[in-house]
Amino acid sequence: MNSVGARRAFDPAALSKALFLGLVAIFVLVPLLATLLGGFKSLGELRVNPFGLPAQWEWQNYADILFSARYWQLLRNSLVISTLAVALTLITASMAAFTFAHVRFFGSSMLLSYLTLGLLFPAATAVLPLFIKVRDLGLLDTYFGVALPQVAFSLAMSVLLLRRFFKDIPYELLEAALVDGCSYIKFFRYVTLPLSRPILATVGTITFVNSWNAYLLPLVMLNTDALYPWPLGIMVYQGEYSSEWHLILAFITLTILPTIILFLLAQKHIVAGLTAGAVKG
């Protein structure tokens, strides 16, 4: 018994896994911790002591940002744009994924392959045609002018994730519903969506984070300061010759908190959505 217990206590595989996860945690947490602590330092101390604890905690850095109207305006703009992107992505991607998963029609495989080509093209390669199209639609300097391109670039991945999950719902269940007089729309509304909450939470969280952290599209599509999201708000603390890095770090810490909280609240659904289907048969 003692030898068996010793072998279990010194399992090389478990030890290797623990070391690997520890290294990953260090690489993830150290930059976050350095950003958090940097916001509590003065600019001079930050230059000579970027990673250590503050010699004097400058709580006023965070207070100045939290009690400024500009910070809450930037946060509101980011929230509006991200919410629009999430809502439109979930609506369009879920309907498209349901069609590809359960509706059989000529050319569906070719159309799905064409849609997945969107994974090959980053948004930066399409900035000029996007700008021209958004301008022609009269959506420049609006929330929709930023949100709609974000939806377009998130559709490919969202449809793939949702379609894989929807296909795990037995086709026999759909056939039985159709025999009983249930339409495709009702099956989608009352059966598919309630069973798909984990993957919907996954897609929604990924889309929200991508939209929340987006910099290039808002920079191109928005000209009015009052509509800027938080990534563009960093420019407030950047001068022509110097930058207030201690305030920038405090600002970044406060603005990434919503996404961290969202991940913590949705992590259970995210793991379930990425690793399992709704029904196993």
Side-chain angles (χ1 to χ4, degrees), residues 2 13 15 44 50 57 61 64 73-74 86 98 118 145 177 194 221 225 230 232 242 269:
N2 292 335
L15 181 60
W57 295 78
N61 294 341
D64 289 342
Q73 182 186 54
L74 295 168
V86 170
F98 178 82
M221 303 300 175
D225 291 352
W230 80 263
L232 299 185
S242 64
H269 295 292

Side-chain angles (χ1 to χ4, degrees), residues 91-108:
I91 292 171
T92 55
S94 61
M95 292 190 293
F98 178 82
T99 302
F100 287 123
H102 292 300
V103 181
R104 299 171 181 174
F105 60 94
F106 175 77
S108 60

Side-chain angles (χ1 to χ4, degrees), residues 5 55 58 95 105 112 148 155 158 161 163 175 210 249 277:
E58 300 287 345
M95 292 190 293
F105 60 94
L112 180 62
L148 289 179
L155 271 181
S158 300
L161 291 174
R163 175 179 174 272
E175 291 179 330
N210 289 338
L249 294 178

Side-chain angles (χ1 to χ4, degrees), residues 121-196:
F121 300 98
T125 62
V127 166
L128 180 58
L130 272 177
F131 176 83
I132 295 174
K133 180 58 67 177
V134 171
R135 181 198 62 189
D136 293 342
L137 292 173
L139 295 177
L140 279 181
D141 223 21
T142 65
Y143 292 135
F144 278 98
V146 179
L148 289 179
Q150 291 177 347
V151 172
F153 279 99
S154 64
L155 271 181
M157 179 61 69
S158 300
V159 169
L160 288 180
L161 291 174
L162 290 167
R163 175 179 174 272
R164 181 184 67 83
F165 197 94
F166 290 171
K167 284 183 72 67
D168 286 335
I169 299 176
Y171 190 75
E172 291 77 10
L173 185 61
L174 173 59
E175 291 179 330
L178 294 176
V179 169
D180 291 337
C182 180
S183 64
Y184 280 107
I185 295 177
K186 289 183 178 179
F187 184 83
F188 171 72
R189 170 64 181 85
Y190 295 107
V191 179
T192 302
L193 290 183
L195 289 173
S196 306

Side-chain angles (χ1 to χ4, degrees), residues 14 41 71 78 124 139 176 195 198 209 229-230 258 275:
K41 301 175 183 178
Y71 168 74
S78 292
L139 295 177
L195 289 173
V209 173
W230 80 263
T275 59

Side-chain angles (χ1 to χ4, degrees), residues 17 23 50 192 210 219 222 252:
K17 182 178 180 181
L23 288 174
T192 302
N210 289 338
L219 180 65
L222 299 177
I252 291 175

